[in-house]
Amino acid sequence: MKKHNYSAGPCILPQEVFEKSSQAILDFNNSGLSILEISHRSKDFVAVMDEARSLALELLGLEGKGYQALFLAGGASLEFLMVPYNLMKVNGKAAYLDSGTWASAAIKEAKFFGETVVVASSKDQNYNNVPKGYSIPADADYFHCTSNNTIFGTQMKEIPTTNIPVVCDMSSDIFSRQLDFTKFDIIYAGAQKNMGPAGTTLVVVKEEILGKNGREIPSILDYAKHIKAESMYNTPAVFPVYASLLTLQWLKNLGGIAAVEKLNNAKANLLYTEIDRNPLFKGAAAVEDRSVMNATFLLNNPEHATVFDAMWKEAGISGLPGHRSVGGYRASMYNAMPIESVQVLVDVMQALEKAV
Amino acid sequence: MKKHNYSAGPCILPQEVFEKSSQAILDFNNSGLSILEISHRSKDFVAVMDEARSLALELLGLEGKGYQALFLAGGASLEFLMVPYNLMKVNGKAAYLDSGTWASAAIKEAKFFGETVVVASSKDQNYNNVPKGYSIPADADYFHCTSNNTIFGTQMKEIPTTNIPVVCDMSSDIFSRQLDFTKFDIIYAGAQKNMGPAGTTLVVVKEEILGKNGREIPSILDYAKHIKAESMYNTPAVFPVYASLLTLQWLKNLGGIAAVEKLNNAKANLLYTEIDRNPLFKGAAAVEDRSVMNATFLLNNPEHATVFDAMWKEAGISGLPGHRSVGGYRASMYNAMPIESVQVLVDVMQALEKAV
């Protein structure tokens, strides 16, 4: 039986991505070769990389606006390092918003390079909200934020306006909602939520901001070198890039970000309405900052957990337990999750209410 | 029709790896979930990672000898950076053997950190041999070499003995031949030759050499942090690691490195014998340094290329053209290539001899 997969990432992907990528492992493009054994320099794979790069920009509305899309390795955690290496000046400084565990990890890596100003932090509230009302120093080399906090289930609803470059870790909500993406100078995202399987990282860079920090950059960490090599500076993660392309094609056929945003809002609305209505549950995050991707919630009476856990498992749900730093439950409702799966969870919550 | 895949990497893998990994994308371990959508923290995937790490050490004969195996991201090119970050002292120096394009790239990245002594180079001979008879400075922080040079088709037949730590890029011949692997302190290899598909990198580290260079290391580049996190410091490349495990299991079932080395020697012997016998061809690399993995060869008369190219393509061979820096042909005969495929190539070479 196919599960209702609420995993926070790696996570559910469209069924057609599973089917097409499974087939490509047996025979890719009728070539007599598996996607796992073809050269990354082969005509067929260069076409995959080129289409993935241009489709990412197209879906974000960034084509022809001075941006380049790269599919790199190392996850968002390597971008925590690459961003300061590429943007922070020698003796410069960077501004960071501390809205969660991953933002905090990005800050730690930036401190390795130089002065790192934390403009605001919700750490004292266990990151249950996204800080607001902060000011961004105009003399910083860049401002870094995290658009969606997977662990705590919060999401930035507004992106601040500033004159310095804006860098955003969008790992857990890229391609899920419409934003004016031209407000960003660098967007990066580990693939393993809305874009594909684990193993590749999308980095979207506005080219004009590169080459200005006067710092010598190791080749493998240099965005300009990756751009010049058309995202093939070294062997890319062939299969994860291919599966990401399939996912982006699925999204385009669905109607793009505008279409999926409506579906995502409907799913989140269905679940949050039940969390607020059902007297057994409460939300974990500040209401105004609730993430459309990751809904965190708790049982008012922890003694109901045994029964509830048995009920959702019986219903074919997986991946629902919350992160250890929040506890309770986390329902991750990424692009590929059908609203029918959310209805199954809501039904279980209502059945629990009747049962106890 | 299934091709005879001579690609230099990504490259041929065992057919059972294609079949099992294709199936796991549809349903992994009868879990009702795809391998592409499971959490890297799930019990099933933690078991995959643990087995891959211990099996890599077992196959190399390094279990219980103070080594740790990691499956990292970023390819060998990121290791070019991680090695000096982790081993080179502040104001220290490192010794490198320059035996090919990738060795040269590793040297370039190390120079970023400090003094880099090139103990010997065959660059002036277009890397057609592996330098010998050099001395390794006893006061260097480590010695770095490349066991097999994919592009030029040369291979180190002896590993020098030295009292300083030895680091080896084994990307293109790991798991292909028996060596005393305890001579090495760090071995690294991009997966996409003998270990699996592109997207993960095996790093084998002797733990006792870490933490001694007095350098502050960015978290994502710190081997000690990856070891502490059991190779899950950040989300690993789930599918590439899984497919690598399947490949390592295949190798173990075959009889391990000792068994595959015999097969590899038989394949290389078959092809090199024909290169030397056939008056139309000549080898590109120094005979004593010829790689068992990658055989480079040229037509004595380049005008035969059109006919030869048509003939091997007709025979179902792919991936045979040489790297642009060597020209001619390169037959990569990694572990998974059956000797029958080599015989097909030899037959075509003999047919060409008769045809012209």
Side-chain angles (χ1 to χ4, degrees), chain A residues 1-3 5 7 9-13 17-19 21-23 25-26 31-34 36-40 73-75 77-78 81 85 108-109 112 192 197-199 216-221 225 233-240 243 318, chain B residues 1-3 5 7 9-13 17-19 21-23 25-26 31-34 36-40 73-75 77-78 81 85 108-109 112 192 197-199 216-221 225 233-240 243 318:
Chain A
M1 184 181 76
K2 194 73 193 165
K3 292 281 177 65
N5 181 9
S7 180
C11 66
I12 188 170
L13 292 173
V17 172
F18 299 144
E19 287 163 11
S21 62
S22 172
Q23 175 56 34
I25 287 178
L26 299 177
S31 63
L33 295 168
S34 165
L36 303 186
E37 66 177 327
I38 60 166
S39 169
H40 60 294
S77 294
L78 188 60
L81 179 65
Y85 245 131
K108 190 182 162 209
E109 211 76 321
F112 181 85
Q192 65 270 16
E216 197 188 352
I217 307 170
S219 300
I220 189 71
L221 303 183
K225 285 204 172 65
Y233 173 77
N234 64 336
T235 310
V238 171
F239 180 81
S318 75
Chain B
M1 184 180 77
K2 194 74 190 166
K3 291 282 177 66
N5 182 8
S7 180
C11 66
I12 188 169
L13 293 172
V17 171
F18 298 145
E19 287 163 10
S21 63
S22 173
Q23 175 55 34
I25 287 178
L26 298 177
S31 63
L33 293 169
S34 166
L36 304 186
E37 67 177 327
I38 60 166
S39 170
H40 59 295
S77 295
L78 188 60
L81 179 66
Y85 245 131
K108 189 181 162 209
E109 210 76 321
F112 181 85
Q192 65 271 14
E216 197 187 351
I217 307 170
S219 299
I220 188 72
L221 303 183
K225 286 207 170 68
Y233 173 77
N234 64 335
T235 310
V238 171
F239 180 81
S318 74

Side-chain angles (χ1 to χ4, degrees), chain B residues 60-352:
Chain B
L60 296 170
L62 292 177
E63 271 197 322
K65 294 182 178 168
Y67 290 83
Q68 293 276 355
L70 301 168
F71 285 82
L72 304 182
S77 295
L78 188 60
E79 299 314 310
F80 297 165
L81 179 66
M82 290 178 75
V83 165
Y85 245 131
N86 282 268
L87 296 189
M88 202 189 290
K89 293 186 175 71
V90 179
N91 300 319
K93 70 175 175 185
Y96 277 72
L97 178 64
D98 180 24
S99 60
T101 303
W102 298 111
S104 173
I107 290 165
K108 189 181 162 209
E109 210 76 321
K111 281 185 176 165
F112 181 85
F113 286 88
E115 190 185 344
T116 303
V117 179
V118 178
V119 298
S121 173
S122 51
K123 189 173 183 182
D124 288 349
Q125 299 93 50
N126 197 30
Y127 295 121
N128 74 354
N129 66 88
V130 178
K132 294 165 212 69
Y134 48 85
S135 64
I136 299 170
D139 61 342
D141 297 327
Y142 62 91
F143 169 67
H144 180 283
C145 57
T146 311
S147 57
N148 186 76
N149 301 286
T150 327
I151 291 176
F152 305 95
T154 65
Q155 190 171 30
M156 292 178 81
K157 302 300 175 182
E158 288 191 26
I159 307 300
T161 299
T162 169
N163 289 324
I164 64 174
V166 175
V167 179
C168 189
D169 176 356
M170 287 195 196
S171 291
S172 53
D173 70 350
I174 195 162
F175 300 120
S176 75
R177 59 169 171 165
Q178 293 179 289
L179 287 173
D180 177 3
F181 295 103
T182 63
K183 290 186 87 167
F184 303 95
D185 298 86
I186 293 183
I187 296 165
Y188 63 86
Q192 65 271 14
K193 322 278 185 186
N194 280 324
M195 197 178 73
T200 187
T201 312
L202 174 66
V203 182
V204 175
V205 188
K206 194 165 193 180
E207 266 195 284
E208 66 180 28
I209 68 163
L210 300 177
K212 294 180 176 173
N213 70 340
R215 197 186 283 270
E216 197 187 351
I217 307 170
S219 299
I220 188 72
L221 303 183
D222 188 342
Y223 291 131
K225 286 207 170 68
H226 287 286
I227 290 170
K228 191 175 171 205
E230 300 181 327
S231 204
M232 297 261 211
Y233 173 77
N234 64 335
T235 310
V238 171
F239 180 81
V241 172
Y242 175 66
S244 296
L245 171 60
L246 294 176
T247 310
L248 295 177
Q249 289 172 333
W250 168 86
L251 178 57
K252 183 179 176 177
N253 290 337
L254 192 75
I257 294 177
V260 85
E261 182 178 27
K262 281 183 199 164
L263 300 173
N264 287 332
N265 285 339
K267 290 182 284 179
N269 188 50
L270 177 60
L271 182 56
Y272 282 121
T273 299
E274 178 61 18
I275 290 169
D276 291 340
R277 186 208 62 78
N278 193 319
L280 302 187
F281 295 95
K282 62 181 174 192
V287 172
E288 69 274 16
D289 298 329
R290 280 175 168 175
S291 168
V292 172
M293 294 285 100
N294 315 95
T296 50
F297 58 102
L298 308 163
L299 277 165
N300 284 311
N301 181 350
E303 288 180 5
H304 292 149
T306 309
V307 178
F308 182 54
D309 292 354
M311 288 173 73
W312 59 256
K313 284 175 189 166
E314 176 66 26
I317 288 170
S318 74
L320 200 64
H323 191 275
R324 63 185 177 280
S325 56
V326 181
Y329 302 94
R330 173 174 52 178
S332 296
M333 302 170 283
Y334 295 114
N335 283 355
M337 172 160 282
I339 196 164
E340 291 75 14
S341 288
V342 182
Q343 188 61 56
V344 169
L345 174 56
V346 167
D347 290 347
V348 171
M349 292 166 77
Q350 293 178 349
L352 180 72

Side-chain angles (χ1 to χ4, degrees), chain A residues 37-291:
Chain A
E37 66 177 327
I38 60 166
S39 169
H40 60 294
R41 302 283 181 199
S42 65
K43 190 167 57 69
D44 279 1
F45 184 72
V46 170
V48 166
M49 179 62 92
D50 289 349
E51 186 181 345
R53 295 177 69 206
S54 65
L55 188 48
L57 292 182
E58 179 190 330
L59 287 165
L60 296 170
L62 291 178
E63 272 196 321
K65 293 181 179 170
Y67 290 83
Q68 292 276 354
L70 301 168
F71 285 81
L72 304 182
S77 294
L78 188 60
E79 299 315 309
F80 297 166
L81 179 65
M82 288 178 76
V83 165
Y85 245 131
N86 282 268
L87 296 189
M88 203 191 287
K89 294 187 174 71
V90 179
N91 300 319
K93 70 175 174 185
Y96 278 73
L97 178 64
D98 180 24
S99 59
T101 303
W102 297 110
S104 174
I107 291 164
K108 190 182 162 209
E109 211 76 321
K111 280 183 176 166
F112 181 85
F113 287 88
E115 190 184 344
T116 303
V117 179
V118 178
V119 297
S121 174
S122 51
K123 189 174 183 180
D124 288 350
Q125 297 94 50
N126 197 30
Y127 296 121
N128 74 354
N129 66 88
V130 178
K132 294 165 211 71
Y134 48 86
S135 63
I136 298 170
D139 61 341
D141 297 326
Y142 62 90
F143 169 67
H144 180 283
C145 59
T146 311
S147 57
N148 186 76
N149 301 285
T150 328
I151 292 176
F152 306 95
T154 65
Q155 190 172 30
M156 292 178 81
K157 303 300 176 182
E158 287 191 27
I159 307 300
T161 298
T162 168
N163 289 325
I164 65 173
V166 176
V167 178
C168 188
D169 177 357
M170 286 194 194
S171 290
S172 53
D173 70 350
I174 195 163
F175 300 122
S176 75
R177 60 169 171 166
Q178 292 180 287
L179 287 173
D180 177 3
F181 294 102
T182 63
K183 289 185 88 167
F184 303 95
D185 298 87
I186 293 182
I187 296 166
Y188 62 87
Q192 65 270 16
K193 321 281 183 183
N194 280 325
M195 196 179 72
T200 188
T201 313
L202 174 66
V203 182
V204 174
V205 188
K206 194 165 193 180
E207 266 196 283
E208 66 179 28
I209 68 163
L210 299 178
K212 295 180 176 173
N213 70 339
R215 196 185 283 269
E216 197 188 352
I217 307 170
S219 300
I220 189 71
L221 303 183
D222 188 342
Y223 289 132
K225 285 204 172 65
H226 286 286
I227 290 170
K228 191 176 170 205
E230 299 181 331
S231 203
M232 297 261 211
Y233 173 77
N234 64 336
T235 310
V238 171
F239 180 81
V241 172
Y242 174 66
S244 295
L245 171 61
L246 294 176
T247 310
L248 295 177
Q249 288 172 333
W250 167 85
L251 179 57
K252 183 178 177 177
N253 291 336
L254 193 74
I257 294 176
V260 85
E261 182 177 29
K262 280 185 200 162
L263 300 173
N264 288 334
N265 285 339
K267 290 183 285 181
N269 188 50
L270 176 60
L271 181 55
Y272 282 121
T273 299
E274 178 62 17
I275 289 168
D276 291 340
R277 185 209 62 77
N278 193 318
L280 301 187
F281 294 96
K282 61 182 172 191
V287 171
E288 69 274 19
D289 298 327
R290 281 173 167 176
S291 168

